[in-house]
Amino acid sequence: MDYKRDVIITEVCPRDGFQSVKEWIPTGTKVEIINRLIDCGYRQIEVTSFVHPKAIPQLQDADEVLKRIKRSKNVKLRALVPNVRGLERAIAAGVDKVKLMLSASDSHSLSNANCTTEQALERFTPLIELAKEKKMDVSGSISVAFGCPFEGEVPIERLTMICERYESFGVTEVSLADTTGMANPAKIKNTVRRLKESFPDFTFSLHLHNTRGMAFANAVAGYEEGIIHFDSSAGGLGGCPYAPGASGNIASEDLIHGFEEMGIRTNVSIDKVLDAAKYIQQLLPHAVDSFLLKAGKCSDLSAKPKGQKKVGV
Amino acid sequence: MDYKRDVIITEVCPRDGFQSVKEWIPTGTKVEIINRLIDCGYRQIEVTSFVHPKAIPQLQDADEVLKRIKRSKNVKLRALVPNVRGLERAIAAGVDKVKLMLSASDSHSLSNANCTTEQALERFTPLIELAKEKKMDVSGSISVAFGCPFEGEVPIERLTMICERYESFGVTEVSLADTTGMANPAKIKNTVRRLKESFPDFTFSLHLHNTRGMAFANAVAGYEEGIIHFDSSAGGLGGCPYAPGASGNIASEDLIHGFEEMGIRTNVSIDKVLDAAKYIQQLLPHAVDSFLLKAGKCSDLSAKPKGQKKVGV
């Protein structure tokens, strides 16, 4: 195994991270955080979700945030859209790409979006039509792709069926989300291999949560199966609603640092991401969850001991 | 890659975990924790370190602990010994195996044991002689094998030199310790492959810390290179002295659960380990650090939602 292919990280803190924070993050703060993330070298940032304000009050200022951030031609802005109204807002806000979201299991879909997976797919039709008309790029995602907190195992046939439907919509960029951290490296490898065989023209990405400590191992497993697109969240913002207090999104600084340590280039500045994460930590100390914020980079060496302390062993 | 070989986990909480806890753990509590760990199915437990009481006051009751724990013929008890006096105590206490410890880098060795790596190796000679005379099994270990917090990169030649010296002592069971969490999967694979090529008769094990979130990925990388012996600590007890507050030893429950989820058998009861970890958590809530204590197992499913909550997306 060599580790020569670069990876492409999409920063999702402004969407998946912010939406999990209970305390109101002022619009100006959101803008400042996003601006700092835009400066890090990411090629894509998931900036918000155009959902109904009652569903996710934290993101009610999505339109205003999009107006005020500092755009860069090097950074594509992606937004989540749950329905036609959301898509209209995303188009008006001038994002570069929208992401559709559904759950691999009916139980999670009902819990999260009050509809079955099939109903979610049917609801995509008018969105796709409008997006095509407006020449808006569309990507897809599959939540709980590696395990459902209600049903457990998700059969590969569910993922295949959903990918076929995405394909029928002309959507071939699909994020596989381990929403509640139920994946493991063997499952990642098997699933990715089978999906890539069935859908050779798709671009799959991995959206990994560290709920059970396996996120980085899962990223490496995905990479070893040819995945080069990954989501992560600066400061590790974004928890797990089914296990309060448990870890959520893999922190961008942990993923980027880990890959870079392996010799895999991310083309994102780890120092700038760490600075952004520290800024987020100052504002939202209880929301951050990252290893690097505690331990620093491997290259942050300690000063050599001068006096040779006698420890008596 | 198939994942068919079983792994063998050595529980190190009573040594590496306890020694990092500042508050005094009463002897009876230590005995109770070790007894619970003995019941989990481990084949080996690192029960203590026979060091000078001034060096590690927490382990000053090592002899008493060994007298009071409930022995099982299925579980080998290993103890760390830094010198002849420690070995004599270990022999008197009736452990099954002793472990020698040194650091791969001079800086870490000077900081930790007040001697260079070469001096540490020289001090092993009388220990080896006494152990042979008393027919005591001896294993070795190499701290900071994958990176030194003072010097950074540890050249493979250092590890090779140390393994040659261990071999000259007749010690062919060697634990490679990522003491401060500086390893990554690529480094693990390269290092393990080269050491196994140079020392085909050795049994190498991995002692991994999760300081930068890569411990489980490193375990999988090691497994994929043929390593089947791993250390871990129930409750994740054991920190990183160079980064206060950072994660330390990979938690036994996280390692065992992760392997089992991959279909790799550990022959340890994850439920009993979790029970032991919860017991430790009750006694030492600030010392535990494990994902499973927060999130539970993948198989701990949530109740399916009955009312289909309208979330408005």
Side-chain angles (χ1 to χ4, degrees):
Chain A
M1 172 57 57
D2 64 42
Y3 298 104
K4 292 196 178 135
R5 291 186 79 189
D6 290 9
V7 293
I8 298 170
I9 313 279
T10 295
E11 172 59 57
V12 301
C13 172
R15 198 277 303 173
D16 205 5
F18 289 173
Q19 77 173 35
S20 77
V21 176
K22 281 187 186 151
E23 65 210 87
W24 171 245
I25 308 172
T27 306
T29 305
K30 287 178 181 134
V31 169
E32 176 63 24
I33 292 171
I34 294 170
N35 284 346
R36 287 171 185 244
L37 293 171
I38 284 174
D39 279 340
C40 291
Y42 293 108
R43 281 168 49 177
Q44 185 164 260
I45 298 179
E46 193 165 284
V47 276
T48 195
S49 182
F50 288 100
V51 293
H52 195 285
K54 280 189 189 158
I56 305 178
Q58 182 65 267
L59 301 183
Q60 63 185 270
D61 56 354
D63 317 81
E64 180 69 14
V65 166
L66 266 287
K67 268 187 204 139
R68 287 170 55 183
I69 57 173
K70 176 187 64 183
R71 304 289 182 108
S72 160
K73 64 177 175 14
N74 302 319
V75 188
K76 282 197 176 179
L77 303 181
R78 182 172 80 185
L80 206 70
V81 294
N83 50 32
V84 169
R85 177 73 194 112
L87 176 57
E88 288 167 348
R89 288 170 64 199
I91 292 166
V95 302
D96 301 293
K97 191 191 283 183
V98 294
K99 186 169 96 171
L100 307 178
M101 204 174 206
L102 55 66
S103 302
S105 73
D106 282 334
S107 305
H108 190 265
S109 186
L110 286 164
S111 167
N112 205 47
N114 201 27
C115 65
T116 64
T117 305
E118 178 57 36
Q119 288 166 340
L121 283 162
E122 287 162 10
R123 290 178 192 178
F124 285 171
T125 306
L127 274 90
I128 298 288
E129 283 171 7
L130 179 59
K132 279 185 183 157
E133 189 191 317
K134 301 289 184 181
K135 301 191 190 315
M136 172 63 76
D137 281 350
V138 180
S139 66
S141 73
I142 308 177
S143 295
V144 300
F146 301 97
C148 165
F150 306 114
E151 300 182 19
E153 195 76 17
V154 169
I156 185 79
E157 291 74 19
R158 289 287 288 185
L159 305 182
T160 308
M161 178 276 285
I162 294 166
C163 287
E164 283 169 355
R165 299 290 289 275
Y166 270 132
E167 195 169 34
S168 75
F169 291 131
V171 174
T172 56
E173 183 182 319
V174 172
S175 166
L176 305 170
D178 185 27
T179 313
T180 61
M182 293 175 73
N184 64 65
K187 190 181 277 185
I188 293 275
K189 286 196 177 189
N190 285 331
T191 304
V192 167
R193 192 176 307 156
R194 290 183 67 176
L195 289 179
K196 281 173 70 93
E197 278 167 12
S198 301
F199 303 94
D201 299 332
F202 272 44
T203 299
F204 289 106
S205 65
L206 288 176
H207 176 105
L208 300 168
H209 282 222
N210 201 29
T211 322
R212 290 169 180 90
M214 290 189 266
F216 189 68
N218 291 336
V220 172
Y223 180 86
E224 289 177 352
E225 286 297 326
I227 298 277
I228 59 162
H229 295 268
F230 298 87
D231 287 352
S232 61
S233 176
L237 245 64
C240 177
Y242 301 95
S247 293
N249 292 77
I250 187 168
S252 297
E253 56 272 29
D254 295 340
L255 183 65
I256 291 163
H257 173 265
F259 274 142
E260 295 280 348
E261 284 289 311
M262 293 178 73
I264 298 167
R265 292 196 311 174
T266 63
N267 302 303
V268 179
S269 162
I270 178 65
D271 289 320
K272 287 186 176 175
V273 174
L274 262 172
D275 283 346
K278 284 173 191 164
Y279 179 74
I280 297 167
Q281 185 177 35
Q282 282 170 7
L283 299 168
L284 305 163
H286 303 299
V288 298
D289 182 15
S290 100
F291 290 96
L292 252 63
L293 281 178
K294 293 177 192 153
K297 296 178 291 180
C298 286
S299 57
D300 294 339
L301 301 183
S302 303
K304 286 195 190 189
K306 286 193 179 145
Q308 296 178 14
K309 180 167 54 90
K310 179 71 182 163
V311 295
V313 291
Chain B
M1 172 59 55
D2 64 41
Y3 298 102
K4 294 196 175 134
R5 293 185 78 190
D6 291 10
V7 292
I8 299 170
I9 313 278
T10 295
E11 172 60 56
V12 301
C13 172
R15 197 277 304 173
D16 205 5
F18 289 174
Q19 76 172 34
S20 76
V21 175
K22 280 190 187 150
E23 63 210 89
W24 172 246
I25 308 171
T27 305
T29 305
K30 287 180 181 132
V31 169
E32 176 63 24
I33 292 171
I34 294 170
N35 283 347
R36 286 171 186 244
L37 294 171
I38 284 173
D39 279 342
C40 291
Y42 294 107
R43 280 168 50 179
Q44 184 164 263
I45 298 180
E46 192 164 285
V47 277
T48 195
S49 182
F50 288 100
V51 293
H52 193 285
K54 282 191 188 158
I56 305 179
Q58 182 66 265
L59 300 183
Q60 64 186 269
D61 56 354
D63 316 81
E64 180 69 15
V65 166
L66 266 287
K67 267 187 203 140
R68 289 169 55 184
I69 57 173
K70 176 187 68 184
R71 305 289 181 108
S72 161
K73 64 175 174 18
N74 301 319
V75 188
K76 281 198 176 177
L77 304 180
R78 182 173 78 186
L80 205 70
V81 294
N83 49 33
V84 170
R85 176 73 193 111
L87 175 57
E88 287 167 347
R89 288 170 63 199
I91 291 165
V95 302
D96 300 293
K97 190 191 285 184
V98 294
K99 186 169 96 171
L100 307 178
M101 203 174 205
L102 55 66
S103 302
S105 72
D106 282 333
S107 304
H108 190 265
S109 187
L110 285 165
S111 166
N112 205 48
N114 201 28
C115 63
T116 63
T117 306
E118 177 58 36
Q119 288 167 339
L121 283 162
E122 286 163 12
R123 290 178 192 177
F124 285 170
T125 305
L127 274 90
I128 297 289
E129 282 171 9
L130 178 60
K132 279 186 183 156
E133 188 190 317
K134 301 291 184 180
K135 298 191 195 310
M136 171 62 74
D137 281 349
V138 180
S139 66
S141 73
I142 308 178
S143 295
V144 300
F146 300 97
C148 164
F150 306 115
E151 299 181 16
E153 196 75 16
V154 169
I156 186 80
E157 291 74 19
R158 288 289 288 187
L159 305 181
T160 308
M161 178 276 288
I162 294 166
C163 286
E164 282 169 357
R165 299 289 289 276
Y166 270 131
E167 196 169 34
S168 75
F169 291 130
V171 174
T172 58
E173 183 183 318
V174 172
S175 167
L176 305 170
D178 184 26
T179 312
T180 62
M182 293 175 72
N184 64 67
K187 190 181 278 185
I188 293 274
K189 287 196 176 188
N190 284 331
T191 305
V192 166
R193 190 176 308 155
R194 291 182 66 175
L195 289 179
K196 282 173 69 96
E197 278 167 11
S198 300
F199 303 94
D201 299 332
F202 272 44
T203 300
F204 289 106
S205 66
L206 288 176
H207 176 104
L208 300 169
H209 282 223
N210 201 29
T211 321
R212 291 171 180 89
M214 292 190 264
F216 189 68
N218 291 336
V220 172
Y223 180 85
E224 289 178 351
E225 286 296 326
I227 298 279
I228 60 162
H229 295 268
F230 298 88
D231 287 353
S232 62
S233 175
L237 246 64
C240 175
Y242 300 96
S247 293
N249 291 76
I250 188 167
S252 297
E253 55 271 32
D254 296 339
L255 183 66
I256 291 163
H257 173 265
F259 275 141
E260 294 281 347
E261 284 288 313
M262 293 178 73
I264 299 166
R265 293 197 310 175
T266 64
N267 301 303
V268 179
S269 163
I270 179 65
D271 289 322
K272 287 186 177 174
V273 174
L274 262 173
D275 284 347
K278 285 173 190 163
Y279 179 74
I280 298 167
Q281 184 178 35
Q282 283 170 9
L283 300 168
L284 305 163
H286 302 299
V288 298
D289 182 15
S290 99
F291 290 95
L292 253 65
L293 281 177
K294 293 178 192 154
K297 297 179 289 180
C298 287
S299 57
D300 295 340
L301 300 184
S302 303
K304 286 195 191 189
K306 283 187 181 152
Q308 295 178 12
K309 179 169 56 89
K310 178 73 179 163
V311 293
V313 291

